[in-house]
Amino acid sequence: MSSSSYLFTSESVSEGHPDKVSDRISDAIVDAFLTADPMSRVACETLTTTNRIVIAGEVRGPAPMVDSSGDVDKAHIEDIARAAVKDIGYEQDGFHWKNSKVAVHLHAQSADIAVGVDAAGNKDEGAGDQGIMFGYACTETDVLMPAPIHLSHGILKSLAEARHSGAEPGLGPDSKSQITLRYENGKPVAATSVVVSTQHSGDLSQEEVREIVRPHVTNVLPDGWMCDESEFYVNPTGIFVIGGPDGDAGLTGRKIIVDTYGGAAPHGGGAFSGKDPTKVDRSAAYAARYLAKNVVAAGLADKCTIQLAYAIGVSKPLSVYIDTAGTGRVDEDKLVATLMEMVDLSPRGIREHLNLSRPIYARTAAYGHFGRNVDSDGGFSWEATTLVDDLKSAFGV
């Protein structure tokens, strides 16, 4: 098989997946702190298991959320966690928003980190950690995302909407999808297999669940893309009644490939959820996607990967790298220089350019951080194509 003809697979998981329940709680806590004070610092991890939620991490925020000693209002954090679980839809014997035990172990941010990261005197705000972050865009879909991950998200979002609306009361919150696409001449042309596993009520048979799922797959896939019936797998292990954190423990930050590009692009390794936007794991990955998407939207390339690198306490990126995979129509060195002139890639510059210091993160916890529409309140601001005109002008396109 030639390098331009191949099979590629990506997966997604729903908002009710144990890891995504944890992501949602962590991001809801980030939102609560940013609502109280846009300059709050939050690094929040959540563990979920059978009727238990454990929240830990470091925070710096306003009274009454955090008092002068660094003590957190634990009752308020507990209420946030329960509300997140209720909104997802868990009211099961083994995991219930009202009955689960919640333990809060948040404490004050390390003074050593604060000294290195905070702006002071002539020192600009430094990166909250070292690391590398990647952004990617391509022309496979209208949202400039790789098709396998975009379609995998779409199936689960459709199932979730049917569950929340009451149209499919037999579905449970926990589900997973996986799509394998066939590429010809480097472009996706059809699905060769589709896998969907979804939690369901005990009175539904496997065949009934299969037929509930089917239209949510066929409606998301482009016309003519549906795989052969023998390659359409729904709950292939059989029944799936016990799900969510009761079936498997969940942790914040374990679905980093689901959150990004489904394996179609590199990943720097840092998770997003539970982190305020001063953390470059999150904000710089958003900035890299923003830049890559604008490059592709401007017609300067059909594919674009951007890497940013940072050191803790240092404001400027250590490197900016661009790879257009042979699809670029302009000089890549000039493209790097042009993008750096257009956007200040310091942590403060990113946060201000994309207006990230707002409570916009709980909504990102499921169905991907990228390929979404910009919300009316500025959520998913990194998906905007506000650089396109300037890029076209700079390169005479």
Side-chain angles (χ1 to χ4, degrees):
M1 182 179 290
S2 70
S3 60
S4 62
S5 298
Y6 52 89
L7 303 180
F8 191 84
T9 304
S10 293
E11 70 155 347
S12 179
V13 298
S14 73
E15 65 203 68
H17 184 279
D19 295 329
K20 283 292 149 200
V21 175
S22 296
D23 285 345
R24 172 68 175 273
I25 293 170
S26 292
D27 273 338
I29 291 168
V30 171
D31 282 353
F33 274 88
L34 293 177
T35 297
D37 182 356
M39 295 308 296
S40 295
R41 301 291 173 84
V42 185
C44 175
E45 311 294 338
T46 302
L47 162 70
T48 54
T49 186
T50 302
N51 273 334
R52 183 171 291 274
I53 300 167
V54 181
I55 301 164
E58 296 187 331
V59 297
R60 191 174 75 200
M65 297 280 285
V66 181
D67 65 23
S68 58
S69 68
D71 289 337
V72 175
D73 183 346
K74 295 182 179 180
H76 186 41
I77 299 299
E78 179 178 332
D79 288 344
I80 292 168
R82 293 189 189 281
V85 174
K86 182 179 182 181
D87 189 62
I88 291 168
Y90 275 113
E91 296 185 342
Q92 302 169 183
D93 289 342
F95 194 72
H96 195 294
W97 65 269
K98 187 175 183 180
N99 301 329
S100 293
K101 294 181 180 179
V102 180
V104 180
H105 301 283
L106 293 172
H107 60 83
Q109 183 187 50
S110 163
D112 290 346
I113 292 177
V115 167
V117 173
D118 288 351
N122 293 324
K123 176 184 176 295
D124 193 8
E125 178 184 297
D129 202 352
Q130 71 178 45
I132 56 175
M133 298 85 207
F134 288 91
Y136 181 72
C138 63
T139 56
E140 290 182 15
T141 61
D142 58 357
V143 293
L144 304 185
M145 283 288 288
I149 187 67
H150 182 63
L151 296 173
S152 294
H153 288 325
I155 291 169
L156 296 187
K157 287 172 69 177
S158 181
L159 287 169
E161 288 166 2
R163 176 174 62 86
H164 282 297
S165 71
E168 295 294 350
L171 295 178
D174 192 0
S175 58
K176 303 177 75 171
S177 64
Q178 180 174 289
I179 294 179
T180 300
L181 295 185
R182 184 174 78 252
Y183 284 70
E184 295 180 357
N185 298 318
K187 297 185 180 301
V189 296
T192 60
S193 68
V194 176
V195 184
V196 179
S197 295
T198 182
Q199 188 181 9
H200 59 88
S201 63
D203 57 357
L204 288 176
S205 69
Q206 188 173 14
E207 186 57 33
E208 286 172 324
V209 175
R210 182 184 184 89
E211 294 312 308
I212 289 173
V213 168
R214 185 186 300 277
H216 296 278
V217 175
T218 57
N219 290 341
V220 167
L221 291 176
D223 290 343
W225 279 37
M226 184 60 179
C227 62
D228 291 341
E229 188 67 15
S230 63
E231 296 295 325
F232 178 40
Y233 303 97
V234 177
N235 288 4
T237 61
I239 64 171
F240 183 6
V241 174
I242 299 173
D246 187 30
D248 190 11
L251 288 171
T252 300
R254 283 206 299 199
K255 286 291 177 283
I256 58 177
I257 302 304
V258 170
D259 286 343
T260 54
Y261 307 102
H267 196 294
F272 302 158
S273 290
K275 299 174 183 177
D276 73 79
T278 69
K279 276 73 169 175
V280 286
D281 274 345
R282 180 166 223 160
S283 57
Y286 290 170
R289 162 63 178 175
Y290 173 67
L291 296 178
K293 184 175 182 180
N294 275 269
V295 167
V296 174
L300 305 185
D302 293 333
K303 296 181 180 181
C304 183
T305 301
I306 293 182
Q307 183 204 63
L308 305 176
Y310 293 85
I312 188 168
V314 178
S315 63
K316 64 180 179 65
L318 305 183
S319 65
V320 179
Y321 166 79
I322 291 183
D323 179 14
T324 56
T327 69
R329 300 176 182 90
V330 299
D331 180 77
E332 289 183 354
D333 290 338
K334 182 180 177 182
L335 184 54
V336 169
T338 301
L339 291 172
M340 292 182 70
E341 289 176 0
M342 290 181 176
V343 180
D344 177 358
L345 293 173
S346 69
R348 182 200 298 273
I350 293 170
R351 199 176 68 250
E352 292 179 350
H353 188 95
L354 296 177
N355 203 4
L356 297 179
S357 297
R358 294 174 295 163
I360 56 174
Y361 298 107
R363 71 193 74 173
T364 70
Y367 313 119
H369 292 244
F370 308 128
R372 311 284 286 270
N373 294 324
V374 179
D375 290 333
S376 58
D377 65 352
F380 300 101
S381 59
W382 49 93
E383 291 297 306
T385 52
T386 49
L387 299 180
V388 166
D389 290 343
D390 289 341
L391 284 170
K392 287 182 176 181
S393 177
F395 289 93
V397 175

